[in-house]
Amino acid sequence: MIPSQANSSSSFPQLDDTVHPFINTGLGSEIACDSSVASSPIATPGNEYKYTQSRSAPLSTALLKDLALLTDDVIHTSRLNDIRNKKGYIIDMDGVIYHGSTLLPGAKEFVQFLHDNNKEFLFLTNNSAPTPRELKQKLGRLGIDVDESRFYTAALATAQFLSTQMPEGGSCYVIGEPGLTFALYSKGFYMNDVNPDYVVLGEGPSYDYEKMCKAVSLVMKGAKLIATNLDVETLNSKGEVIPSCGAFTAAIELVTKTKAFFCGKPSALIMRYAQRSLGIDHEDTCIIGDRMDTDIVAGVTSQIDPVLVLSGVTKMEDLRNFTYRPYVILGGVYEIPTNNSEQN
């Protein structure tokens, strides 16, 4: 039986300023604060994450608190139990459930945990390329059966936003994949490469020099610049870093001297859409993601407890670059299901 939450998790349990110099992870590794190398679990069970530290530069109190979210048995277990007791889950996909066509460890068991315990959940992705039906089919091929209504993409958020700006519909010049154009068509927008209302940038391999120049020209003529998301990089199926929508958007912004409006995470827009779809109060909801700059900050600004998994883009050494921290840090979603999946 999972202990019930005594207090709202939005008021985080305080981390002691004096963290023990040797933090037992409970998984056979230790972080030695006076050592040049320390290790802790990451990504897949049995893998080790190396955190390199200079002997002449001891870890700061703030960084020790970050590490404690992963390695301190008491803090980690308490907060993990809080997450297990949530009623609603907003879940990123790339780097959390899969990499490309590879299912990540524990993903299937995690979804089964959600079903077994009657949790409300929504897969929320900044990837604008696929439609919800394609995402359902992809998970089906990986052995996970989820209803199409459980998916919400940055493409859908973008189309929804534009429909509030132009309820009568309008026109767009799009660089992106079918998931984006389908979402726009469904809200009354048609494609136009001469004098569109909007230039809309999404994900996918269809970017080339000619299309980038066309987008610049149209924005210079007055089309408004919209980006589905501002992720600069993502991971391919091999785990390699590749450029994402934000990288291409930045080039067009630089040339046109304009700023794109983006609709994906960490925008409050997509988070409101997600919360409305779940129908769960923010105190009873968490967001699980692999990126500090999108998933985790989206949770912080929406007052939804953010859970960082180390199976994707963000690594432990990256936390020093952010002034905010997640509620808890996990090696991956494999940590969430209990031995007895069904909670009492």
Side-chain angles (χ1 to χ4, degrees):
M1 177 178 177
I2 302 300
S4 61
Q5 275 182 274
N7 300 309
S8 170
S9 60
S10 58
S11 55
F12 291 175
Q14 295 299 307
L15 302 183
D16 195 339
D17 283 345
T18 57
V19 179
H20 194 281
F22 291 93
I23 307 172
N24 191 335
T25 66
L27 294 174
S29 60
E30 291 180 336
I31 292 181
C33 294
D34 59 353
S35 170
S36 60
V37 176
S39 62
S40 62
I42 169 181
T44 58
N47 278 3
E48 285 190 340
Y49 166 80
K50 298 295 182 182
Y51 186 88
T52 304
Q53 161 200 352
S54 169
R55 290 180 183 273
S56 60
L59 294 178
S60 69
T61 300
L63 189 53
L64 285 172
K65 290 180 179 181
D66 290 341
L67 291 169
L69 296 175
L70 172 70
T71 61
D72 184 280
D73 281 342
V74 174
I75 294 170
H76 185 83
T77 301
S78 173
R79 295 192 174 194
L80 178 54
N81 284 339
D82 287 345
I83 295 305
R84 288 170 176 154
N85 281 296
K86 295 290 186 183
K87 297 177 181 177
Y89 293 72
I90 298 172
I91 310 156
D92 185 32
M93 300 191 73
D94 295 299
V96 177
I97 301 299
Y98 53 67
H99 282 317
S101 58
T102 303
L103 195 67
L104 288 171
K108 188 172 183 178
E109 292 78 7
F110 170 56
V111 175
Q112 190 62 49
F113 165 84
L114 298 174
H115 284 304
D116 289 346
N117 293 283
N118 298 314
K119 306 290 190 181
E120 292 296 332
F121 64 93
L122 184 72
F123 288 109
L124 186 69
T125 176
N126 268 356
N127 188 353
S128 61
T131 64
R133 179 168 297 180
E134 289 169 335
L135 290 172
K136 170 185 167 58
Q137 291 171 344
K138 178 172 183 174
L139 283 192
R141 290 192 296 270
L142 296 174
I144 298 176
D145 183 25
V146 177
D147 189 79
E148 187 177 331
S149 63
R150 300 281 191 179
F151 300 93
Y152 197 81
T153 72
L156 295 175
T158 300
Q160 178 65 33
F161 165 71
L162 292 183
S163 71
T164 66
Q165 298 293 293
M166 299 185 71
E168 71 282 6
S171 64
C172 304
Y173 175 73
V174 175
I175 305 179
E177 299 302 297
L180 179 54
T181 54
F182 179 80
L184 291 167
Y185 276 127
S186 69
K187 291 295 183 179
F189 289 84
Y190 62 92
M191 303 301 108
N192 178 353
D193 63 357
V194 178
N195 58 346
D197 300 302
Y198 300 99
V199 168
V200 182
L201 306 178
E203 296 286 4
S206 60
Y207 285 87
D208 60 32
Y209 185 72
E210 182 180 351
K211 290 179 180 177
M212 295 279 285
C213 288
K214 184 71 172 179
V216 167
S217 174
L218 294 172
V219 171
M220 296 289 281
K221 292 176 181 177
K224 297 181 184 298
L225 183 60
I226 305 291
T228 59
N229 63 288
L230 290 185
D231 296 10
V232 173
E233 81 285 327
T234 188
L235 300 177
N236 63 15
S237 58
K238 299 178 181 178
E240 300 168 334
V241 176
I242 57 174
S244 190
C245 179
F248 300 111
T249 302
I252 295 174
E253 288 179 326
L254 188 63
V255 176
T256 60
K257 298 180 176 59
T258 61
K259 293 297 291 183
F261 184 86
F262 71 98
C263 302
K265 295 173 291 184
S267 165
L269 197 69
I270 195 171
M271 294 302 292
R272 288 196 185 96
Y273 294 156
Q275 285 182 267
R276 191 181 306 151
S277 175
L278 278 181
I280 302 292
D281 290 341
H282 67 87
E283 295 93 347
D284 293 320
T285 304
C286 66
I287 179 170
I288 304 173
D290 69 313
R291 300 184 64 114
M292 286 291 291
D293 57 349
T294 55
D295 306 306
I296 304 308
V297 70
V300 170
T301 56
S302 302
Q303 297 184 303
I304 295 174
D305 287 340
V307 179
L308 175 66
V309 292
L310 299 175
S311 50
V313 172
T314 296
K315 306 305 178 188
M316 278 300 293
E317 66 263 32
D318 299 327
L319 268 66
R320 67 170 70 241
N321 301 322
F322 300 93
T323 57
Y324 50 89
R325 60 168 55 100
Y327 182 68
V328 69
I329 302 173
L330 309 179
V333 293
Y334 61 82
E335 290 196 51
I336 298 176
T338 57
N339 289 333
N340 177 13
S341 175
E342 194 165 340
Q343 293 174 264
N344 295 322

